[in-house]
Amino acid sequence: MNNSKKKYSPPSSKKESKVYGVHAVKAVFKNRPQDIIKLILTKERAAAFSELLSYMAKHKKAYHLESSDTISQYANSLHHEGVCLLTKDAPPLKLKDVFNHLKNNKPILLLALENIDNPHNLGAIIRTASHFAVDAIFYSSKNTYHSDAAVARVAQGGVEYVPLVKVFEWSELIDFCSQKK
């Protein structure tokens, strides 16, 4: 369907996010296919996403073939790489959730971030952390980029592999880590 006058509505609640970019979309499909609400992609990208398209059809989820310009409008970005998803947000993780998922018998690698205001910088940090097997990233509650589409795109799927935990008080993280030694 290619209707240049068609307007896409923004996510209906704060519990939905747009994810765009080839690697970010593939990571969501690999890790959280049940959370996908809608897929929009260009005809040129259809072959590369045939498995996702089959999944969408099988599960009666919406998908549309659109122009790059239409996807730019929907994603609010020119950097969508011809594909965009509307997804349910993963539930936010709490401090204890992360430690419950980590094995107690091995050393863990944690990363704490504060005052990272640029979503592209945060995405690059998450991408790098994912490649170096960081077990979790903790970030200041002042930063609001947890589910930002630009972060997910630049992270190239890393947000699906490294737990991100918003910290309201750094002393809480330090105390929790001290107890887990």
Side-chain angles (χ1 to χ4, degrees), residues 17-38:
S17 296
K18 294 174 185 172
V19 175
Y20 53 81
V22 171
H23 297 292
V25 167
K26 286 183 177 183
V28 170
F29 178 50
K30 180 178 179 183
N31 292 290
R32 303 183 294 124
Q34 73 282 358
D35 290 343
I36 298 173
I37 298 168
K38 183 186 333 187

Side-chain angles (χ1 to χ4, degrees), residues 56-71:
M56 298 297 284
K58 180 180 177 183
H59 292 87
K60 297 180 174 40
K61 295 185 178 210
Y63 62 92
H64 306 278
L65 296 178
E66 297 287 356
S67 70
S68 183
D69 289 341
T70 300
I71 298 172

Side-chain angles (χ1 to χ4, degrees), residues 79-128:
H79 306 289
H80 51 73
E81 300 175 352
V83 61
C84 184
L85 291 176
L86 178 63
T87 67
K88 294 177 192 171
D89 284 345
L93 291 173
K94 294 186 173 128
L95 203 51
K96 65 180 181 174
D97 297 333
V98 172
F99 285 99
N100 288 339
H101 286 95
L102 299 175
K103 295 180 183 173
N104 292 329
N105 60 350
K106 73 170 186 101
I108 58 174
L109 179 59
L110 305 176
L111 184 59
L113 303 175
E114 188 171 32
N115 298 327
I116 308 295
D117 296 324
N118 184 311
H120 296 95
N121 291 344
L122 180 57
I125 291 168
I126 294 168
R127 180 180 66 238
T128 304

Side-chain angles (χ1 to χ4, degrees), residues 153-165:
R153 181 188 62 81
V154 174
Q156 295 188 349
V159 295
E160 297 299 323
Y161 298 101
V162 180
L164 301 173
V165 183

